[in-house]
Amino acid sequence: MHSLVHSAMGMLMAWCAAVMTKDQYHVLAVPCTDSDSLDSKVARACLNEYHLFLLLAGAFMGYSYSLLYFVNNMNYLPFPIIQQYKFLRFRRALPLLLRHSAVESLYLVRNFCGLYYFLGYIPKAWISTAMDLHRDEKQPPLDSLSGLLDLSLLYHVWLCGVFLLVTWYITWVLFKIYATEAHVFPVQPMFTGDSEECLPKVLNGSSPLIIKYLALQDLMLLSQYSPSRRQEVFSLSQPGGHPHNWVAISRECLALLNDLTQKLVIYQEAAATNGRVKPPPSSVESKKPPVMEEEIAFQTPKANLMSKALMPSLVKASLFSSKFTSPDSPAPIVSLFGDGVGSRMAGVGDFKSPVYKGPLSPQLTRRGPRLWTSLTDLQSDGPQSPSSFPPPVSCGAKHEDRGPPSKLYSWLQSKQQQVKSFLSKRVLIVYFFSKHPEASIQAVFSDAQMHIWALEGLSHLVAASFTEDRFGVVQTTLPTILSTLLMLQEAVDKHFKLPHASSRPPRLSGSLVDTSYKTLRFALRASLKTAIYRITTTFGEHLNAVQASAEHQKRLQQFLEFKE
Amino acid sequence: MCSLSLFPPLPPWGQVTLYEYNNELVTGDSYESPPPDFRGQWINLPVLHLTKDPLKTPGRLDHGTKTAFVHHRESIWKRCINAWCDVGVSGVLNEVANSEEEVFKWVKTASSWALALCRWGSFLHGSLFPHLSLRSEDLIAEFAQVTNCTIVPSLKHRLQRNVAALAWKPLSASVLAVACQSCILIWTLDPNSLSTRPSSGCAQVLSHPGHSPVTSLAWSPNGGRLLSASPVDAAVLVWDISTETCVPLPWFRGGGVTYLLWSPDGSKVLATTPSAIFRVWEAQMWTCERWPTLSGRCQTGCWSPDGNRLLFTVVGEPLIYSLTFPEHSREGKGQVGGAKTATIVADLSETTIQTPSGEERLGGEAHSMVWDPSGERLAVLMKGNPHVQHGKPVILLFRTRNSPVFELLPCGVVQGEPGAWAQLIAFHPSFNKGALLSVCWSTGRIAHIPLYFVNAQFPRFSPMLGRTQEPPAGGGGSTHMPLFTESAPISSPWDPSSGTSWSNSPTGRL
């Protein structure tokens, strides 16, 4: 779709360019210049091959742009490593952008010439027969070597390509700059009405992913640079005296980090058993229900850790599911999921254990059929509340309509297994269809930027609380924070012992495309270590008074002695 | 502002400065024999003594193996390719112009013309920015903060040539950044590992086109970002080490950047240039303000612990200037907002001071300055001056106070073993009994000089010897007159007459 639209746009642009240049390119049909046509006095229309060439080049460039867009993961939104004003960022990107598009246009023209040389006769014949145009005998055909070496034509095509690419890249750069601009969320609502926009609410709620990113970025910035807003975080609520802001913020960050720990543990288990791992699901719609269940399953053991009832974990569930939707297909589905599952969870108290066991195995093996069987298991386990089973889990429900697996179904399944095992023996096919290990590792850490910001924000807040927290609100959660960080540290350490995990992909310097998503795991490891060091160096010997398990005490001691 | 004539007399020849106690610098015969009454308090400092041998012959020389082979003349094109890889276009032109009868005559003529044009262009460029015409070794020697640099071969890497700066990452125990000729190397060294020579696989290479030689590095105090600067490149690079991305902070005037210094609170960065300008970047939105200096470039600088005051010196002037910045740069508005003019806080010009053994001369230009993390001691390493101590660089020690008003008092002169030159000075980042000055002497000894005083940051320290309330013995009355104070001495609550022993009892202020 993306490439089709881009090809069409490219063609349109090339047509505009062709019309604008006037002289020999501007229409598709020109009167023939043949001598015999002059004789016959019949105004025969001939195909203007230059015009066709330009149009096709535009289409080709649009298609290649869209292809490169996806190959280079240009839909990944890298947040800048330092804050700068928008104009400065744009000005910095501009020369790079111009150079990049000029060079790329050159390559594309070369490729297109090659393509046209070999395949150019197809569209030419097609157009000329469809529109009843004749070949101009006098002019050399463009799909010959001599025809292609027309410098003026090539120059025009190149210029058109540069223009096209510059326009698109500027759009892309401007979008990136505006989308990643730091936004300031108020910590406390100024009036009661606009409490939806304040930081704890945004972090808690099921807001779109981009808003969560911005909120976490803002949390990181405020924890570093703004003492007055830190003071708001540490403040108590006016009637009642509860540290609602700090509790909400810290709970959110800890939930994020715990989630990452769980993901890493599962990944390691899978790697230990399977050898090769499929990534956790991306935003594929059909895979969402099991993921949802799983998240809830992970939230539930944590619920007692946070000494909270089921409700917050359900809120979290809806929040986690929002992570798997792309930013532009936001909340409604997600909230529906959250609510539906939530009502079911609330209805059946002891539902946790089957949920916990059920979807874990599909996560490990990630085979299609077993995914559905596990769901039917679920359904048969919990028939008490069939009415409250949510309609949004439609893809699961469709399969469940069939009831217990029939003979046909099992036969199909066995056939499928056979085909799969047959295919998996062919090395080449496995090579093409299995995930690259590097890619699966990258997928685990795909949204590590959020975790990095959560780490930085949390550790800066804790470090600042040493001098700024007048009511001691941070001290109550300090043991939880420390244990969460240390557990994550353990999981990350283990993860980096896996094969492929600790090798760095090569770096391309000075290119327009950002490849920082490939190395996010290193950034996470570094910032995790820095976060722990920040807390230990600030608190120093006082950390010995913090309750922690013996193992964690030992680990902390190592950090205190700078031996990590 | 006062001159150096208020300094206490130099210690007698042959004595080395051991520590500061009760406002006095105590000297001894050698570093190994502290006075007996001090043994109980002696902190366990690591003794480092690098032997000179590995310093003098760093492994093998760069061209060491070249002599072992018979000289073989390669064909012209091969040499051109090599020259292209090493030096670039001018190398190729040079190679072609110098070749004999291997290329056509017109090619040779054309390339020599082009080379002349090239040289003329670079000469023009060099006359605008004179530092660019230096060789890279000279560049490093000119702008480095070390008096006489040598290379210790314990970490080896193919690209690690002409090391100009080292920086350990804060809030980490294992990451070391090394500024090299062509790149920045990031070593990740496991502190628990026993191997003394880590392999070059531990190193991560960061390079950026046009950014060499790298002469200055600065980690942000919270450990997140690394700044690097080169006297050739006008832009300062901000690196995110783990994702290996960099953002250039562009500046189109002023040639290059020679020295970077991050303020201890992480809010500002000092960037000095080879021209008579220095800039201060604000580290949140990365905007900068520039200060032109009157004569010459900024030689060195140091930040107060709260990041609100910058002391700097200028090449060619024996003065220390101070520049103040407002308390908090208003909530992310991206402004530096420093004072309009710098004030002179100390005059280091040459003076004679009376010693028991005769007159001694003291003073000159400062080479580097360090301020201890509590903000109470300032050490200044002077440039070698033929009139002072036979050209040896001298370390001057000042007492400072930063709040409520800035004060600068003389403390003394740090002396090393006879014949040893001070090369590099640094303060320990967190020494809770005062301040710990480490001096790297040219003999290879790294001496730690503890300066004991009650530190406002760590007020728990109580000296064991029980003589703290005693006013310091001797030292001369003239030492207690402040070299510089911002307020008039009469109106100041800490005027010199009542503040004679302020460093002994600052706990009362807390």
Side-chain angles (χ1 to χ4, degrees):
Chain A
M1 182 62 198
H2 188 262
S3 34
L4 273 185
V5 170
H6 270 96
S7 316
M9 288 304 295
M11 211 170 211
L12 188 71
M13 196 70 110
W15 179 75
C16 289
V19 169
M20 267 191 288
T21 47
K22 283 285 186 208
D23 46 0
Q24 53 173 336
Y25 305 117
H26 73 121
V27 278
L28 193 58
V30 285
C32 290
T33 50
D34 282 358
S35 50
D36 55 335
S37 68
L38 285 175
D39 295 339
S40 61
K41 300 292 180 208
V42 182
R44 283 202 306 164
C46 273
L47 175 69
N48 185 358
E49 206 174 347
Y50 295 107
H51 187 78
L52 182 67
F53 187 82
L54 259 180
L55 288 190
L56 286 179
F60 177 77
M61 279 171 181
Y63 180 74
S64 330
Y65 170 79
S66 131
L67 202 67
L68 284 176
Y69 185 89
F70 287 114
V71 165
N72 288 331
N73 260 342
M74 274 158 74
N75 48 0
Y76 169 73
L77 202 63
F79 280 78
I81 60 171
I82 55 172
Q83 302 296 310
Q84 269 186 314
Y85 287 110
K86 290 194 289 277
F87 170 69
L88 290 179
R89 286 183 61 194
F90 180 68
R91 194 180 67 182
R92 206 184 66 221
L94 205 55
L96 198 63
L97 185 148
L98 289 178
R99 206 183 60 202
H100 185 84
S101 40
V103 171
E104 200 180 316
S105 174
L106 206 61
Y107 278 113
L108 287 182
V109 166
R110 187 199 64 185
N111 293 348
F112 179 69
C113 284
L115 196 71
Y116 194 82
Y117 179 72
F118 288 114
L119 298 175
Y121 65 93
I122 299 174
K124 205 163 65 178
W126 184 59
I127 292 280
S128 50
T129 49
M131 297 180 68
D132 195 21
L133 297 171
H134 298 273
R135 259 196 85 233
D136 203 333
E137 298 293 340
K138 213 171 175 191
Q139 289 188 337
L142 272 182
D143 52 353
S144 67
L145 212 53
S146 58
L148 269 181
L149 281 177
D150 184 352
L151 277 186
S152 142
L153 176 71
L154 291 186
Y155 170 71
H156 277 100
V157 169
W158 175 76
L159 210 61
C160 175
V162 170
F163 183 61
L164 201 66
L165 290 178
V166 163
T167 322
W168 278 336
Y169 279 129
I170 282 184
T171 322
W172 175 66
V173 162
L174 281 180
F175 171 72
K176 262 199 329 190
I177 289 175
Y178 273 86
T180 58
E181 192 195 3
H183 181 266
V184 176
F185 294 87
V187 177
Q188 274 175 327
M190 205 69 81
F191 306 102
T192 47
D194 53 359
S195 66
E196 286 303 311
E197 287 132 36
C198 65
L199 192 58
K201 272 275 158 45
V202 172
L203 283 178
N204 258 326
S206 56
S207 39
L209 195 56
I210 181 74
I211 306 252
K212 287 200 60 134
Y213 265 89
L214 287 176
L216 280 169
Q217 190 189 24
D218 185 46
L219 175 69
M220 185 269 291
L221 290 176
L222 89 87
S223 68
Q224 278 192 45
Y225 296 114
S226 127
S228 61
R229 292 180 67 202
R230 278 202 297 264
Q231 209 45 251
E232 280 182 53
V233 173
F234 297 139
S235 69
L236 300 180
S237 67
Q238 200 40 265
H242 294 290
H244 287 307
N245 292 333
W246 165 250
V247 166
I249 288 175
S250 64
R251 192 181 54 209
E252 262 343 288
C253 295
L254 288 180
L256 265 179
L257 299 179
N258 274 324
D259 172 50
L260 181 67
T261 314
Q262 300 287 359
K263 217 158 69 172
L264 285 179
V265 166
I266 286 178
Y267 183 89
Q268 282 151 22
E269 281 172 4
T273 54
N274 249 0
R276 171 158 293 175
V277 198
K278 300 282 163 61
S282 53
S283 63
V284 186
E285 198 73 9
S286 64
K287 282 184 182 173
K288 206 175 284 167
V291 173
M292 284 288 311
E293 309 281 333
E294 195 181 283
E295 298 290 356
I296 290 176
F298 294 141
Q299 291 309 306
T300 36
K302 208 166 50 205
N304 53 14
L305 184 130
M306 311 292 285
S307 72
K308 292 287 170 204
L310 222 63
M311 265 332 275
S313 78
L314 294 178
V315 178
K316 255 174 262 159
S318 58
L319 173 159
F320 278 115
S321 61
S322 77
K323 195 167 51 188
F324 292 98
T325 58
S326 55
D328 45 353
S329 67
I333 318 165
V334 169
S335 59
L336 266 176
F337 271 0
D339 291 344
V341 176
S343 64
R344 198 169 46 129
M345 290 293 285
V348 192
D350 55 350
F351 203 64
K352 278 173 268 177
S353 49
V355 178
Y356 192 70
K357 268 185 255 161
L360 260 180
S361 49
Q363 169 73 18
L364 292 182
T365 53
R366 193 58 67 191
R367 294 272 151 72
R370 284 181 62 189
L371 213 68
W372 307 128
T373 51
S374 76
L375 259 185
T376 47
D377 286 350
L378 260 182
Q379 174 71 350
S380 58
D381 271 354
Q384 299 101 307
S385 58
S387 59
S388 70
F389 196 81
V393 197
S394 53
C395 12
K398 225 181 282 168
H399 288 258
E400 283 156 10
D401 285 343
R402 280 192 260 163
S406 64
K407 231 172 213 175
L408 181 72
Y409 182 64
S410 57
W411 181 78
L412 270 177
Q413 205 175 359
S414 65
K415 272 291 160 201
Q416 205 173 349
Q417 287 294 341
Q418 278 176 4
V419 170
K420 219 174 247 177
S421 59
F422 173 75
L423 284 181
S424 63
K425 280 173 193 153
R426 303 292 176 272
V427 181
L428 202 67
I429 294 174
V430 169
Y431 178 78
F432 277 115
F433 284 92
S434 67
K435 279 279 184 184
H436 192 258
E438 172 72 28
S440 64
I441 294 169
Q442 279 172 22
V444 174
F445 288 96
S446 57
D447 45 20
Q449 186 67 62
M450 283 215 290
H451 302 113
I452 291 170
W453 282 334
L455 278 172
E456 289 189 3
L458 209 57
S459 63
H460 271 116
L461 280 176
V462 170
S465 78
F466 190 67
T467 52
E468 292 177 12
D469 180 13
R470 285 172 299 164
F471 306 111
V473 295
V474 175
Q475 285 178 24
T476 54
T477 39
L478 189 57
T480 324
I481 292 173
L482 281 175
S483 70
T484 307
L485 291 186
L486 289 175
M487 266 154 59
L488 183 58
Q489 166 80 20
E490 212 171 297
V492 168
D493 274 356
K494 265 187 199 156
H495 181 87
F496 272 87
K497 292 201 177 102
L498 293 179
H500 302 292
S502 54
S503 59
R504 263 174 197 283
R507 191 176 77 96
L508 304 164
S509 77
S511 78
L512 188 66
V513 209
D514 193 288
T515 54
S516 64
Y517 63 93
K518 286 182 184 163
T519 44
L520 270 182
R521 57 178 184 276
F522 299 102
L524 181 86
R525 182 172 64 166
S527 67
L528 177 62
K529 214 166 241 185
T530 309
I532 301 180
Y533 266 119
R534 186 172 297 136
I535 295 177
T536 53
T537 47
T538 319
F539 281 83
E541 293 298 313
H542 300 293
L543 277 186
N544 294 331
V546 174
Q547 290 174 348
S549 66
E551 195 183 333
H552 286 173
Q553 282 283 12
K554 220 170 89 186
R555 205 73 199 264
L556 280 180
Q557 198 57 41
Q558 278 185 334
F559 272 101
L560 280 174
E561 289 163 3
F562 280 89
K563 279 189 178 159
E564 275 293 323
Chain B
M1 185 192 68
C2 267
S3 70
L4 288 182
S5 56
L6 301 174
F7 256 72
L10 292 175
W13 196 84
Q15 297 255 306
V16 292
T17 310
L18 288 180
Y19 57 93
E20 179 200 323
Y21 191 73
N22 268 347
N23 270 344
E24 269 183 288
L25 287 177
V26 179
T27 56
D29 290 332
S30 72
Y31 286 109
E32 279 78 23
S33 61
D37 62 333
F38 200 67
R39 287 258 165 82
Q41 228 205 315
W42 193 246
I43 45 165
N44 196 10
L45 294 173
V47 176
L48 273 179
H49 196 282
L50 306 171
T51 50
K52 289 278 281 184
D53 305 341
L55 300 185
K56 269 179 182 164
T57 53
R60 58 185 165 79
L61 291 169
D62 244 3
H63 318 288
T65 48
K66 226 177 204 174
T67 51
F69 293 93
V70 179
H71 185 66
H72 164 69
R73 201 154 172 85
E74 289 162 326
S75 79
I76 175 71
W77 303 118
K78 220 171 201 175
R79 273 185 288 142
C80 280
I81 288 169
N82 284 342
W84 171 267
C85 293
D86 282 352
V87 219
V89 182
S90 62
V92 175
L93 292 176
N94 205 2
E95 199 64 51
V96 173
N98 289 338
S99 62
E100 298 120 13
E101 294 162 20
E102 280 171 278
V103 289
F104 299 114
K105 184 102 177 138
W106 61 270
V107 175
K108 197 174 160 180
T109 325
S111 66
S112 46
W113 273 102
L115 193 64
L117 204 69
C118 231
R119 282 192 182 141
W120 183 75
S122 71
F123 171 73
L124 202 68
H125 195 204
S127 62
L128 291 178
F129 306 113
H131 66 281
L132 291 183
S133 51
L134 296 174
R135 280 188 314 128
S136 59
E137 290 86 4
D138 301 336
L139 268 182
I140 293 168
E142 178 82 11
F143 299 124
Q145 295 285 312
V146 189
T147 49
N148 213 350
C149 50
T150 46
I151 301 168
V152 185
S154 84
L155 294 172
K156 271 191 181 169
H157 194 277
R158 185 169 52 86
L159 295 168
Q160 189 162 293
R161 282 183 291 177
N162 293 336
V163 175
L166 299 174
W168 285 99
K169 181 180 176 182
L171 298 178
S172 157
S174 54
V175 180
L176 173 70
V178 181
C180 309
Q181 170 69 44
S182 58
C183 61
I184 307 165
L185 286 178
I186 306 292
W187 292 92
T188 308
L189 311 165
D190 188 1
N192 298 323
S193 141
L194 294 173
S195 74
T196 49
R197 291 264 174 104
S199 75
S200 60
C202 306
Q204 190 184 336
V205 179
L206 303 175
S207 60
H208 190 261
H211 195 74
S212 71
V214 184
T215 58
S216 184
L217 293 174
W219 286 96
S220 78
N222 61 25
R225 304 281 172 264
L226 174 71
L227 297 185
S228 71
S230 159
V232 179
D233 192 4
V236 178
L237 296 188
V238 185
W239 291 93
D240 184 4
I241 293 305
S242 41
T243 58
E244 302 189 349
T245 45
C246 80
V247 175
L249 298 175
W251 196 264
F252 302 107
R253 283 170 284 170
V257 175
T258 54
Y259 179 54
L260 290 170
L261 188 67
W262 211 304
S263 74
D265 66 336
S267 62
K268 297 176 203 70
V269 183
L270 165 75
T272 67
T273 62
S275 52
I277 274 180
F278 67 94
R279 297 194 284 270
V280 176
W281 291 88
E282 171 269 333
Q284 192 185 354
M285 293 303 287
W286 293 99
T287 52
C288 76
E289 275 183 16
R290 45 198 285 274
W291 275 273
T293 54
L294 289 178
S295 63
R297 64 188 171 87
C298 178
Q299 164 71 30
T300 181
C302 56
W303 289 96
S304 69
D306 55 357
N308 294 335
R309 181 178 297 278
L310 171 70
L311 300 185
F312 66 93
T313 63
V314 170
V315 169
E317 286 182 52
L319 301 169
I320 298 178
Y321 293 93
S322 150
L323 197 58
T324 54
F325 294 88
E327 188 67 29
H328 290 293
S329 55
R330 278 139 294 167
E331 295 294 321
K333 288 293 171 291
Q335 285 181 353
V336 187
K340 291 281 173 252
T341 52
T343 46
I344 299 174
V345 292
D347 184 2
L348 306 178
S349 56
E350 229 178 285
T351 47
T352 42
I353 50 175
Q354 300 292 332
T355 57
S357 58
E359 287 192 347
E360 287 271 4
R361 298 186 70 80
L362 200 61
E365 286 180 42
H367 186 269
S368 73
M369 283 195 293
V370 281
W371 207 336
D372 94 298
S374 63
E376 308 215 9
R377 292 291 183 277
L378 175 75
V380 181
L381 175 61
M382 308 296 285
K383 268 191 184 146
N385 187 337
H387 304 298
V388 177
Q389 298 235 333
H390 320 290
K392 266 167 54 175
V394 182
I395 302 173
L396 302 178
L397 204 58
F398 294 89
R399 282 185 210 116
T400 55
R401 178 161 44 178
N402 205 22
S403 67
V405 290
F406 179 71
E407 279 185 2
L408 195 66
L409 297 97
C411 186
V413 176
V414 175
Q415 195 168 13
E417 288 164 334
W421 299 40
Q423 290 188 323
L424 182 65
I425 50 176
F427 272 108
H428 191 279
S430 63
F431 182 68
N432 56 5
K433 294 183 174 181
L436 179 63
L437 179 70
S438 301
V439 183
C440 180
W441 296 102
S442 61
T443 50
R445 174 187 292 280
I446 293 175
H448 301 289
I449 301 165
L451 313 170
Y452 294 102
F453 55 89
V454 180
N455 195 326
Q457 275 189 339
F458 304 97
R460 282 155 291 172
F461 170 58
S462 54
M464 308 295 278
L465 300 183
R467 295 183 300 153
T468 51
Q469 299 312 313
E470 221 171 276
S478 64
T479 50
H480 303 302
M481 191 190 292
L483 267 179
F484 173 79
T485 174
E486 273 184 343
S487 57
I490 301 127
S491 65
S492 166
W494 289 279
D495 65 343
S497 57
S498 71
T500 46
S501 62
W502 58 270
S503 69
N504 274 333
S505 56
T507 39
R509 280 190 284 142
L510 291 174

